[in-house]
Amino acid sequence: MGYPAIGFTRLCKGEDVDILYKDEFLYYRFFKQPEERPKQIKPPTIVAKSNRLIKKLLDKVNQIIF
């Protein structure tokens, strides 16, 4: 599908990710266990976004240094 696996992981946890056909994906992902499907899809919080950005920056700095 051309999307990273982390996007699908976040979607399964209930985070809004820019993935086409996310409703269909969630339907089939939780077909046998519909009670585990997230009830609401929420946008990521500012804290989550900033933590990801900081981690990405630290990873790049580590690649440059080592």
Side-chain angles (χ1 to χ4, degrees):
M1 290 182 67
Y3 298 106
I6 191 70
F8 290 108
T9 303
R10 290 179 183 150
L11 181 61
C12 289
K13 290 181 181 179
E15 187 175 313
D16 189 20
V17 183
D18 189 26
I19 295 177
L20 292 176
Y21 307 111
K22 62 179 124 188
D23 291 329
E24 288 79 6
F25 169 77
L26 288 173
Y27 175 79
Y28 287 109
R29 167 65 178 85
F30 295 105
F31 184 73
K32 292 185 179 180
Q33 301 157 336
E35 66 277 355
E36 292 183 14
R37 182 179 176 172
K39 303 296 182 226
Q40 293 181 333
I41 304 295
K42 300 176 185 173
T45 62
I46 301 281
V47 174
K49 285 182 179 181
S50 60
N51 283 342
R52 290 181 197 144
L53 180 64
I54 291 170
K55 184 179 180 328
K56 190 182 289 188
L57 290 172
L58 289 174
D59 288 344
K60 289 201 181 245
V61 168
N62 281 335
Q63 285 178 353
I64 292 170
I65 292 174
F66 299 109

